[in-house]
Amino acid sequence: MNNTKQQVREFYDEIGWSHVGEGLYQNARYEDLRPVSREYIHKCHMRVKRYLAPQGNILLDAGSGPVQWPEYLTYSENYRYRLCADISITALKEARSRLGDRGMFVVADIANLPFKPEVFDGVVSMHTIHHLPLSEHRRAYFELIRVLKADKTAVVINGWHNPPLMRMAEPFIRLGRLLAGRSAKKKKNWSLEEDQAGTFVKKMTPRWLKKELKDAVTFKIYPWRSLSPRFMRWFVRPQFGGKAYLRLIFWLEERFPRFFGENGQYPLIVIKK
Ligand SMILES: C[S@@+](CC[C@H](N)C(=O)[O-])C[C@H]1O[C@@H](n2cnc3c(N)ncnc32)[C@H](O)[C@@H]1O
């Protein structure tokens, strides 16, 4: 395993999946956990289920982590098994505590999956490909497709690099920080977000994805969630109609999926085999 992957594995084993109280992992600090945002986040989590085969023998969760949010469990509720593959042993132990004998747990690298072709009825991979060195992103997509059965779908979620909608908000966030007396120093480093994620992250653009996968893969880009936690913490305030604002955003995402899928923070990429 190369240095980058080793570093990512150590991060998740020792920090990312350590418990920090109230049933939360350290990793949850990158999420907006406030009650005002709960409904929007729940509905976004549930979007994944729409595109997966509703039932089957085995669902592959590639880079499963501990299957940390309750909605995640619903994706495999009508499957016989959920196979969690992750390079972090801590992640898999935690996943086992949730799934019990409905789960299978394999230490594996998503760019080199140790499975035969066409064995899974569904594949999901959330927030994981971005932890790979750029040279392996394409290969990871192809691995997910290789192990998927014909006529089935894979769902991939990853953050975009520097998405226009979030980029437009950055000057206001920086101004807000200044006015609030906080340092404005945190200019976002969009390509290598080590400061945010705590470990190696390499995000890509819709243009890159289309160029890399076109001709070889049939896929569509939908919004998973347009708003980043950073944006939400600044602009979604319970006292200023935050919940209604998020309902409007969700409605807009449903109405204009292509626009929000490509310009918001997190796309939901549906791959059809
Ligand atoms: C940001 S967490 C996401 C976990 C989960 N999918 C979720 O959405 O909550 C990324 C996970 O991917 C795993 N991971 C990172 N690189 C990987 C690789 N090359 N192969 C398999 N898993 C990997 C990490 O160990 C970690 O558990």
Side-chain angles (χ1 to χ4, degrees):
M1 191 176 290
N2 64 36
N3 272 349
T4 305
K5 286 183 194 169
Q6 190 57 36
Q7 183 202 327
V8 170
R9 174 206 286 231
E10 279 167 19
F11 171 79
Y12 280 103
D13 271 349
E14 287 159 27
I15 301 170
W17 302 130
S18 59
H19 290 269
V20 293
E22 296 166 39
L24 292 176
Y25 298 102
Q26 186 270 357
N27 181 264
R29 63 185 284 219
Y30 307 112
E31 185 52 285
D32 177 3
L33 299 171
R34 298 170 306 152
V36 64
S37 305
R38 213 165 275 159
E39 179 187 291
Y40 173 65
I41 290 177
H42 166 77
K43 288 192 292 187
C44 295
H45 281 162
M46 292 309 290
R47 279 180 167 141
V48 172
K49 213 176 165 194
R50 282 185 203 168
Y51 302 99
L52 291 169
Q55 61 205 28
N57 195 24
I58 313 176
L59 177 77
L60 170 66
D61 188 343
S64 64
V67 194
Q68 63 176 325
W69 308 113
E71 295 89 346
Y72 286 9
L73 286 168
T74 68
Y75 309 159
S76 55
E77 65 192 357
N78 295 319
Y79 283 72
R80 203 154 156 220
Y81 298 106
R82 184 185 191 119
L83 193 153
C84 297
D86 202 291
I87 47 169
S88 157
I89 190 86
T90 309
L92 295 174
K93 282 183 185 159
E94 292 291 322
R96 190 174 55 191
S97 72
R98 295 214 161 72
L99 288 162
D101 54 14
R102 296 286 302 279
M104 296 191 261
F105 310 94
V106 179
V107 176
D109 173 8
I110 53 164
N112 295 286
L113 288 171
F115 309 119
K116 289 187 180 164
E118 311 213 338
V119 283
F120 297 104
D121 295 292
V123 171
V124 67
S125 181
M126 300 181 286
H127 311 286
T128 298
I129 292 182
H130 64 209
H131 284 310
L132 291 168
L134 176 58
S135 58
E136 294 187 47
H137 283 215
R138 187 171 197 268
R139 187 184 161 89
Y141 280 99
F142 280 84
E143 277 294 85
L144 299 178
I145 297 163
R146 181 182 66 77
V147 299
L148 182 66
K149 285 185 185 168
D151 294 325
K152 302 288 182 185
T153 51
V155 173
V156 175
I157 292 164
N158 263 308
W160 290 131
H161 163 75
N162 201 3
L165 288 176
M166 296 301 97
R167 193 172 60 216
M168 275 158 43
E170 273 303 310
F172 298 102
I173 294 180
R174 285 211 292 280
L175 180 65
R177 287 183 71 88
L178 273 175
L179 294 176
R182 296 204 223 160
S183 107
K185 69 179 184 312
K186 279 204 176 164
K187 190 160 193 284
K188 213 164 175 338
N189 176 355
W190 288 99
S191 58
L192 254 186
E193 301 192 356
E194 293 202 31
D195 54 339
Q196 280 242 318
T199 188
F200 177 84
V201 170
K202 182 73 187 157
K203 295 183 177 175
M204 304 316 300
T205 61
R207 203 167 162 191
W208 178 92
L209 189 78
K210 287 178 190 170
K211 188 168 144 271
E212 288 297 312
L213 301 190
K214 85 164 179 348
D215 302 334
V217 180
T218 311
F219 70 98
K220 274 198 167 161
I221 302 172
Y222 297 95
W224 181 63
R225 191 170 116 194
S226 319
L227 307 181
S228 67
R230 177 176 164 87
F231 180 100
M232 288 166 71
R233 286 190 202 112
W234 273 100
F235 296 110
V236 178
R237 306 286 170 129
Q239 66 274 37
F240 299 122
K243 223 174 184 175
Y245 170 62
L246 288 176
R247 283 185 185 152
L248 174 66
I249 296 286
F250 188 84
W251 181 82
L252 288 169
E253 290 167 349
E254 295 286 300
R255 186 84 184 72
F256 306 103
R258 190 161 164 196
F259 174 80
F260 283 93
E262 296 197 13
N263 296 286
Q265 180 66 65
Y266 302 102
L268 184 157
I269 299 155
V270 179
I271 299 168
K272 184 93 189 129
K273 182 156 174 185

